């Protein structure tokens, strides 16, 4: 019982979906930042990694650096964090430039990597989880929208690298939902049909069922799809 109480007392609070991203000032490899204020009007992938000069983290940073242009095309910025020092970050990022893995080489990591030696920011975002480590941040991902609101939270264990295609897919799905007032079904990929809001009344539902078209169709009164408008425009 005592051990359970101690574990509860040391557990760090975690921000929730739909809440404003906790604000902080930080020193990074790209200079000082004020988060999330400096990223107003942009989507942000704010992520943590356990430590510099570790193998899984190295493959992740190489992948992030390679995909940076793809994220920028989605009005999305990358911001990384670990509990290492700024000098440790710089030395590690220089080493990454010398490595070659898969089709990736000569990669320059130009997005900011936050120094968080005191773990103040990590604790604020629930990145320090004693069940995994008291001295390293877990692999957390926070997707934050242009209004500074947390829209997605992903946590990975120390041993498992992230799925970057999924991170990108989530951003596109969120942007599609916001833009077109729709939802995305299971295993949705960009270009797939989207789900339209459920009809607000029986009459509207019945009319929708009767007047289906090539671009909009229903499986039942509560489950209707339509073509992705963005893809139709293309």
């Amino acid at each position: 019982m005592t051990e359970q109480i101690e574990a509860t007392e040391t557990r760090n609070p975690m921000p929730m979906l739909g809440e404003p991203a906790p604000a902080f000032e930080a020193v990074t490899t790209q200079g000082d930042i004020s988060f999330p204020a400096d990223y107003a009007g942009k989507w942000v992938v704010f992520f943590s990694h356990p430590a510099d000069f570790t193998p899984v983290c190295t493959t992740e940073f190489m992948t992030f650096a390679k995909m940076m242009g793809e994220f920028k095309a989605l009005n999305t910025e990358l911001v990384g964090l670990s509990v290492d020092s700024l000098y440790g970050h710089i030395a590690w990022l220089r080493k990454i430039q010398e490595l070659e893995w898969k089709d990736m080489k000569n990669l320059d990591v130009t997005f900011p990597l936050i120094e968080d030696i005191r773990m103040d920011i990590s604790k604020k975002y629930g990145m320090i989880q004693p069940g995994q480590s008291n001295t390293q941040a877990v692999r957390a991902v926070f997707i934050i929208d242009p209004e500074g609101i947390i829209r997605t939270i992903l946590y990975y264990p120390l041993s498992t690298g992230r799925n970057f295609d999924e991170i990108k897919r989530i951003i596109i799905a969120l942007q599609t939902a916001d833009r077109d007032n729709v939802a995305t079904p299971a295993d949705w990929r960009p270009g797939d049909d989207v789900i339209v809001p459920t009809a607000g009344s029986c009459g509207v539902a019945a009319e929708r069922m009767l007047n289906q078209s090539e671009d909009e169709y229903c499986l039942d009164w509560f489950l209707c799809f339509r073509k992705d408008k963005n893809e139709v425009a293309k």
Side-chain angles (χ1 to χ4, degrees):
M1 180 63 72
T2 301
E3 292 179 355
Q4 291 179 344
I5 293 174
E6 289 178 352
T8 301
E9 290 176 346
T10 58
R11 183 172 297 160
N12 297 303
M14 295 167 55
M16 301 294 181
L17 293 176
E19 294 182 349
F24 60 82
E25 308 283 332
V27 175
T28 84
T29 52
Q30 299 294 318
D32 296 349
I33 63 170
S34 178
F35 191 89
D38 288 348
Y39 296 89
K42 295 181 177 295
W43 291 79
V44 180
V45 176
F46 176 40
F47 66 98
S48 58
H49 69 279
D52 299 341
F53 292 100
T54 52
V56 177
C57 299
T58 299
T59 63
E60 290 186 322
F61 264 71
M62 293 178 76
T63 306
F64 263 134
K66 178 188 175 185
M67 295 180 65
M68 188 171 174
E70 297 177 44
F71 285 109
K72 280 189 173 294
L74 296 172
N75 190 35
T76 301
E77 300 293 332
L78 306 175
V79 180
L81 172 149
S82 83
V83 299
D84 298 283
S85 70
L86 184 64
Y87 297 107
H89 287 341
I90 293 172
W92 179 47
L93 297 185
R94 286 176 177 170
K95 174 57 66 176
I96 286 177
Q97 289 180 308
E98 302 172 6
L99 302 178
E100 181 176 351
W101 177 61
K102 293 186 175 180
D103 60 342
M104 296 177 280
K105 62 181 179 179
N106 303 320
L107 293 169
D108 188 14
V109 178
T110 57
F111 56 82
L113 178 52
I114 294 170
E115 173 187 79
D116 192 28
I117 298 175
R118 296 182 179 179
M119 298 187 286
D120 293 335
I121 301 170
S122 299
K123 291 177 179 177
K124 185 175 289 190
Y125 276 81
M127 295 170 171
I128 303 297
Q129 300 187 7
Q132 288 283 291
S133 173
N134 286 311
T135 59
Q136 294 180 326
V138 296
R139 300 184 196 285
V141 178
F142 291 84
I143 297 176
I144 300 166
D145 71 16
E147 303 299 322
I149 302 300
I150 296 172
R151 301 291 296 277
T152 300
I153 302 173
L154 303 170
Y155 282 97
Y156 293 76
L158 299 177
S159 61
T160 304
R162 282 166 271 226
N163 184 319
F164 290 81
D165 288 335
E166 172 65 0
I167 293 171
K168 181 180 176 182
R169 187 192 77 94
I170 291 172
I171 293 169
I172 297 173
L174 289 170
Q175 293 179 350
T176 299
D178 288 357
R179 182 187 65 239
D180 298 332
N181 188 32
V182 295
T184 51
D187 291 331
W188 181 86
R189 305 294 300 178
D192 290 349
D193 295 349
V194 295
I195 296 174
V196 298
T198 302
S201 68
C202 294
V204 174
E207 182 179 353
R208 179 181 284 174
M209 289 290 292
L210 290 172
N211 298 301
Q212 300 185 52
S213 66
E214 182 180 346
D215 291 335
E216 185 169 326
Y217 60 93
C218 299
L219 304 186
D220 210 320
W221 66 268
F222 62 90
L223 182 55
C224 295
F225 297 84
R226 75 173 181 219
K227 301 296 183 182
D228 185 345
K229 286 184 176 180
N230 206 37
E231 289 302 310
V232 171
K234 287 182 181 178

